[in-house]
mmCIF file of all heavy atoms in Angstrom:
data_model
loop_
_atom_site.group_PDB
_atom_site.id
_atom_site.type_symbol
_atom_site.label_atom_id
_atom_site.label_comp_id
_atom_site.label_asym_id
_atom_site.label_seq_id
_atom_site.Cartn_x
_atom_site.Cartn_y
_atom_site.Cartn_z
ATOM 1 N N PRO A 59 118.488 110.918 103.774
ATOM 2 C CA PRO A 59 117.694 110.281 102.737
ATOM 3 C C PRO A 59 116.170 110.409 102.984
ATOM 4 O O PRO A 59 115.742 110.455 104.148
ATOM 5 C CB PRO A 59 118.080 108.817 102.828
ATOM 6 C CG PRO A 59 119.264 108.732 103.669
ATOM 7 C CD PRO A 59 119.328 109.949 104.498
ATOM 8 N N SER A 60 115.420 110.405 101.872
ATOM 9 C CA SER A 60 113.974 110.611 101.993
ATOM 10 C C SER A 60 113.284 109.356 102.507
ATOM 11 O O SER A 60 112.151 109.402 102.936
ATOM 12 C CB SER A 60 113.425 110.950 100.589
ATOM 13 O OG SER A 60 113.731 109.897 99.662
ATOM 14 N N TYR A 61 113.985 108.197 102.445
ATOM 15 C CA TYR A 61 113.299 106.937 102.797
ATOM 16 C C TYR A 61 113.478 106.584 104.294
ATOM 17 O O TYR A 61 113.124 105.506 104.722
ATOM 18 C CB TYR A 61 113.820 105.766 101.941
ATOM 19 C CG TYR A 61 115.311 105.688 101.847
ATOM 20 C CD1 TYR A 61 116.118 105.219 102.870
ATOM 21 C CD2 TYR A 61 115.976 106.145 100.677
ATOM 22 C CE1 TYR A 61 117.501 105.183 102.790
ATOM 23 C CE2 TYR A 61 117.353 106.126 100.581
ATOM 24 C CZ TYR A 61 118.117 105.623 101.626
ATOM 25 O OH TYR A 61 119.469 105.620 101.520
ATOM 26 N N LYS A 64 110.544 105.210 106.087
ATOM 27 C CA LYS A 64 109.992 103.973 105.530
ATOM 28 C C LYS A 64 110.824 102.745 105.948
ATOM 29 O O LYS A 64 110.338 101.612 105.903
ATOM 30 C CB LYS A 64 109.982 104.062 103.985
ATOM 31 C CG LYS A 64 108.926 105.041 103.521
ATOM 32 C CD LYS A 64 108.983 105.217 102.039
ATOM 33 C CE LYS A 64 108.040 106.288 101.595
ATOM 34 N NZ LYS A 64 108.406 106.886 100.342
ATOM 35 N N VAL A 65 112.070 102.948 106.258
ATOM 36 C CA VAL A 65 112.961 101.841 106.640
ATOM 37 C C VAL A 65 112.668 101.414 108.084
ATOM 38 O O VAL A 65 112.921 100.279 108.478
ATOM 39 C CB VAL A 65 114.421 102.213 106.425
ATOM 40 C CG1 VAL A 65 115.363 101.169 106.952
ATOM 41 C CG2 VAL A 65 114.717 102.427 104.965
ATOM 42 N N GLU A 67 112.762 101.812 112.449
ATOM 43 C CA GLU A 67 113.637 102.237 113.546
ATOM 44 C C GLU A 67 115.080 101.817 113.315
ATOM 45 O O GLU A 67 115.358 100.663 113.046
ATOM 46 C CB GLU A 67 113.155 101.587 114.840
ATOM 47 C CG GLU A 67 111.816 102.085 115.283
ATOM 48 C CD GLU A 67 111.833 103.507 115.807
ATOM 49 O OE1 GLU A 67 112.782 103.861 116.530
ATOM 50 O OE2 GLU A 67 110.908 104.255 115.449
ATOM 51 N N PHE A 68 116.019 102.771 113.450
ATOM 52 C CA PHE A 68 117.435 102.443 113.476
ATOM 53 C C PHE A 68 118.201 103.645 114.057
ATOM 54 O O PHE A 68 117.617 104.709 114.280
ATOM 55 C CB PHE A 68 117.979 102.061 112.084
ATOM 56 C CG PHE A 68 118.086 103.183 111.104
ATOM 57 C CD1 PHE A 68 119.301 103.864 111.002
ATOM 58 C CD2 PHE A 68 117.009 103.601 110.340
ATOM 59 C CE1 PHE A 68 119.399 104.941 110.113
ATOM 60 C CE2 PHE A 68 117.134 104.668 109.454
ATOM 61 C CZ PHE A 68 118.315 105.324 109.334
ATOM 62 N N ARG A 69 119.490 103.430 114.300
ATOM 63 C CA ARG A 69 120.303 104.514 114.830
ATOM 64 C C ARG A 69 121.593 104.642 113.987
ATOM 65 O O ARG A 69 122.225 103.613 113.694
ATOM 66 C CB ARG A 69 120.699 104.163 116.302
ATOM 67 C CG ARG A 69 121.434 105.242 117.006
ATOM 68 C CD ARG A 69 121.933 104.758 118.320
ATOM 69 N NE ARG A 69 120.852 104.498 119.272
ATOM 70 C CZ ARG A 69 120.990 103.689 120.301
ATOM 71 N NH1 ARG A 69 122.122 103.049 120.559
ATOM 72 N NH2 ARG A 69 119.973 103.515 121.128
ATOM 73 N N GLU A 71 125.305 105.104 113.614
ATOM 74 C CA GLU A 71 126.482 104.976 114.464
ATOM 75 C C GLU A 71 127.668 105.703 113.887
ATOM 76 O O GLU A 71 128.694 105.936 114.570
ATOM 77 C CB GLU A 71 126.854 103.496 114.688
ATOM 78 C CG GLU A 71 125.744 102.602 115.287
ATOM 79 C CD GLU A 71 125.470 102.939 116.743
ATOM 80 O OE1 GLU A 71 126.187 103.755 117.352
ATOM 81 O OE2 GLU A 71 124.477 102.401 117.298
ATOM 82 N N GLU A 72 127.572 106.041 112.619
ATOM 83 C CA GLU A 72 128.619 106.785 111.901
ATOM 84 C C GLU A 72 127.907 107.863 111.057
ATOM 85 O O GLU A 72 126.734 107.705 110.725
ATOM 86 C CB GLU A 72 129.422 105.885 110.948
ATOM 87 C CG GLU A 72 130.226 104.814 111.641
ATOM 88 C CD GLU A 72 131.573 105.319 112.138
ATOM 89 O OE1 GLU A 72 131.983 106.449 111.704
ATOM 90 O OE2 GLU A 72 132.171 104.659 112.931
ATOM 91 N N LYS A 75 128.752 108.917 104.319
ATOM 92 C CA LYS A 75 129.706 109.654 103.494
ATOM 93 C C LYS A 75 129.062 110.811 102.744
ATOM 94 O O LYS A 75 129.649 111.828 102.544
ATOM 95 C CB LYS A 75 130.289 108.650 102.475
ATOM 96 C CG LYS A 75 131.617 108.988 101.911
ATOM 97 C CD LYS A 75 132.102 107.763 101.117
ATOM 98 C CE LYS A 75 133.232 108.116 100.239
ATOM 99 N NZ LYS A 75 133.653 106.960 99.425
ATOM 100 N N TYR A 76 127.757 110.577 102.361
ATOM 101 C CA TYR A 76 127.120 111.597 101.532
ATOM 102 C C TYR A 76 126.836 112.904 102.285
ATOM 103 O O TYR A 76 126.562 113.928 101.650
ATOM 104 C CB TYR A 76 125.813 111.067 100.909
ATOM 105 C CG TYR A 76 124.894 110.371 101.840
ATOM 106 C CD1 TYR A 76 124.124 111.132 102.736
ATOM 107 C CD2 TYR A 76 124.739 109.012 101.844
ATOM 108 C CE1 TYR A 76 123.280 110.496 103.635
ATOM 109 C CE2 TYR A 76 123.919 108.355 102.731
ATOM 110 C CZ TYR A 76 123.180 109.098 103.619
ATOM 111 O OH TYR A 76 122.316 108.485 104.477
ATOM 112 N N GLN A 79 129.587 115.111 101.319
ATOM 113 C CA GLN A 79 129.454 115.455 99.901
ATOM 114 C C GLN A 79 128.309 116.502 99.688
ATOM 115 O O GLN A 79 128.497 117.464 98.929
ATOM 116 C CB GLN A 79 129.111 114.182 99.098
ATOM 117 C CG GLN A 79 130.286 113.296 98.892
ATOM 118 C CD GLN A 79 129.887 111.943 98.352
ATOM 119 O OE1 GLN A 79 128.704 111.617 98.254
ATOM 120 N NE2 GLN A 79 130.860 111.092 98.067
ATOM 121 N N LYS B 97 108.303 96.804 110.743
ATOM 122 C CA LYS B 97 109.026 98.055 110.455
ATOM 123 C C LYS B 97 109.373 98.739 111.778
ATOM 124 O O LYS B 97 110.499 99.124 111.977
ATOM 125 C CB LYS B 97 108.160 98.960 109.587
ATOM 126 C CG LYS B 97 108.862 100.208 109.129
ATOM 127 C CD LYS B 97 108.018 101.004 108.176
ATOM 128 C CE LYS B 97 107.273 102.071 108.892
ATOM 129 N NZ LYS B 97 106.495 102.981 108.059
ATOM 130 N N GLU B 98 108.388 98.823 112.646
ATOM 131 C CA GLU B 98 108.566 99.504 113.925
ATOM 132 C C GLU B 98 109.633 98.780 114.792
ATOM 133 O O GLU B 98 110.362 99.407 115.519
ATOM 134 C CB GLU B 98 107.234 99.484 114.635
ATOM 135 C CG GLU B 98 107.150 100.526 115.731
ATOM 136 C CD GLU B 98 105.782 100.451 116.392
ATOM 137 O OE1 GLU B 98 105.464 99.389 116.995
ATOM 138 O OE2 GLU B 98 105.042 101.397 116.291
ATOM 139 N N PHE B 102 113.390 95.932 109.116
ATOM 140 C CA PHE B 102 113.876 96.346 107.788
ATOM 141 C C PHE B 102 115.264 96.994 107.870
ATOM 142 O O PHE B 102 116.141 96.772 107.027
ATOM 143 C CB PHE B 102 112.872 97.284 107.118
ATOM 144 C CG PHE B 102 111.517 96.665 106.939
ATOM 145 C CD1 PHE B 102 110.377 97.420 107.005
ATOM 146 C CD2 PHE B 102 111.394 95.306 106.694
ATOM 147 C CE1 PHE B 102 109.119 96.874 106.848
ATOM 148 C CE2 PHE B 102 110.166 94.731 106.541
ATOM 149 C CZ PHE B 102 109.027 95.511 106.632
ATOM 150 N N ALA B 146 117.290 101.322 99.694
ATOM 151 C CA ALA B 146 118.015 102.096 100.706
ATOM 152 C C ALA B 146 119.421 101.548 100.901
ATOM 153 O O ALA B 146 120.406 102.299 100.908
ATOM 154 C CB ALA B 146 117.239 102.056 102.019
ATOM 155 N N GLU B 150 123.154 103.303 99.797
ATOM 156 C CA GLU B 150 124.222 103.544 100.761
ATOM 157 C C GLU B 150 125.526 102.922 100.247
ATOM 158 O O GLU B 150 126.579 103.562 100.305
ATOM 159 C CB GLU B 150 123.867 102.888 102.131
ATOM 160 C CG GLU B 150 122.724 103.526 102.894
ATOM 161 C CD GLU B 150 123.114 104.842 103.580
ATOM 162 O OE1 GLU B 150 124.296 105.215 103.539
ATOM 163 O OE2 GLU B 150 122.196 105.495 104.070
ATOM 164 N N ASP B 153 126.851 104.688 97.068
ATOM 165 C CA ASP B 153 127.350 105.984 97.438
ATOM 166 C C ASP B 153 128.741 105.853 98.054
ATOM 167 O O ASP B 153 129.671 106.619 97.749
ATOM 168 C CB ASP B 153 126.392 106.666 98.410
ATOM 169 C CG ASP B 153 126.829 108.084 98.764
ATOM 170 O OD1 ASP B 153 126.662 108.925 97.868
ATOM 171 O OD2 ASP B 153 127.308 108.300 99.866
ATOM 172 N N TYR B 154 128.886 104.889 98.931
ATOM 173 C CA TYR B 154 130.177 104.700 99.604
ATOM 174 C C TYR B 154 131.287 104.380 98.597
ATOM 175 O O TYR B 154 132.383 104.887 98.689
ATOM 176 C CB TYR B 154 130.065 103.551 100.656
ATOM 177 C CG TYR B 154 131.311 103.347 101.437
ATOM 178 C CD1 TYR B 154 131.603 104.111 102.547
ATOM 179 C CD2 TYR B 154 132.231 102.350 101.036
ATOM 180 C CE1 TYR B 154 132.773 103.921 103.262
ATOM 181 C CE2 TYR B 154 133.420 102.186 101.732
ATOM 182 C CZ TYR B 154 133.673 102.967 102.856
ATOM 183 O OH TYR B 154 134.849 102.756 103.554
ATOM 184 N N GLU B 156 131.218 105.131 95.481
ATOM 185 C CA GLU B 156 131.116 106.092 94.362
ATOM 186 C C GLU B 156 130.806 105.394 93.046
ATOM 187 O O GLU B 156 131.488 105.615 92.029
ATOM 188 C CB GLU B 156 132.432 106.910 94.290
ATOM 189 C CG GLU B 156 132.662 107.748 95.511
ATOM 190 C CD GLU B 156 134.096 108.214 95.681
ATOM 191 O OE1 GLU B 156 134.849 108.139 94.678
ATOM 192 O OE2 GLU B 156 134.454 108.638 96.776
ATOM 193 N N ARG B 243 129.615 99.550 110.280
ATOM 194 C CA ARG B 243 129.081 100.037 111.542
ATOM 195 C C ARG B 243 128.227 101.293 111.360
ATOM 196 O O ARG B 243 128.049 102.069 112.350
ATOM 197 C CB ARG B 243 130.224 100.316 112.555
ATOM 198 C CG ARG B 243 131.392 101.054 112.008
ATOM 199 C CD ARG B 243 132.447 101.357 113.070
ATOM 200 N NE ARG B 243 133.282 102.397 112.606
ATOM 201 C CZ ARG B 243 134.371 102.265 111.868
ATOM 202 N NH1 ARG B 243 134.723 101.057 111.466
ATOM 203 N NH2 ARG B 243 135.086 103.294 111.474
ATOM 204 N N LEU B 244 127.733 101.527 110.142
ATOM 205 C CA LEU B 244 126.977 102.745 109.858
ATOM 206 C C LEU B 244 125.703 102.858 110.704
ATOM 207 O O LEU B 244 125.429 103.906 111.284
ATOM 208 C CB LEU B 244 126.630 102.837 108.398
ATOM 209 C CG LEU B 244 125.890 104.108 107.963
ATOM 210 C CD1 LEU B 244 126.725 105.355 108.102
ATOM 211 C CD2 LEU B 244 125.389 103.988 106.496
ATOM 212 N N ILE B 245 124.922 101.772 110.779
ATOM 213 C CA ILE B 245 123.707 101.851 111.561
ATOM 214 C C ILE B 245 123.539 100.672 112.500
ATOM 215 O O ILE B 245 124.149 99.602 112.297
ATOM 216 C CB ILE B 245 122.432 101.889 110.602
ATOM 217 C CG1 ILE B 245 122.290 100.624 109.764
ATOM 218 C CG2 ILE B 245 122.432 103.123 109.755
ATOM 219 C CD1 ILE B 245 120.970 100.524 109.062
ATOM 220 N N SER B 246 122.797 100.912 113.551
ATOM 221 C CA SER B 246 122.458 99.814 114.470
ATOM 222 C C SER B 246 120.917 99.827 114.693
ATOM 223 O O SER B 246 120.270 100.820 114.340
ATOM 224 C CB SER B 246 123.185 99.979 115.801
ATOM 225 O OG SER B 246 122.660 101.130 116.458
ATOM 226 N N GLU B 427 116.842 110.773 95.461
ATOM 227 C CA GLU B 427 118.134 110.760 96.201
ATOM 228 C C GLU B 427 119.344 111.078 95.331
ATOM 229 O O GLU B 427 120.356 111.544 95.844
ATOM 230 C CB GLU B 427 118.318 109.349 96.801
ATOM 231 C CG GLU B 427 117.332 108.989 97.908
ATOM 232 C CD GLU B 427 117.278 110.047 98.974
ATOM 233 O OE1 GLU B 427 118.314 110.544 99.423
ATOM 234 O OE2 GLU B 427 116.147 110.408 99.360
#
Side-chain angles (χ1 to χ4, degrees):
Chain A
S60 59
Y61 48 76
K64 289 175 186 157
V65 174
E67 294 289 318
F68 72 94
R69 185 188 293 160
E71 301 291 354
E72 294 278 345
K75 204 172 165 183
Y76 49 74
Q79 284 167 355
Chain B
K97 187 175 94 175
E98 200 181 62
F102 301 147
E150 291 286 353
D153 184 72
Y154 182 83
E156 296 162 16
R243 48 176 198 274
L244 182 66
I245 62 168
S246 67
E427 294 306 316

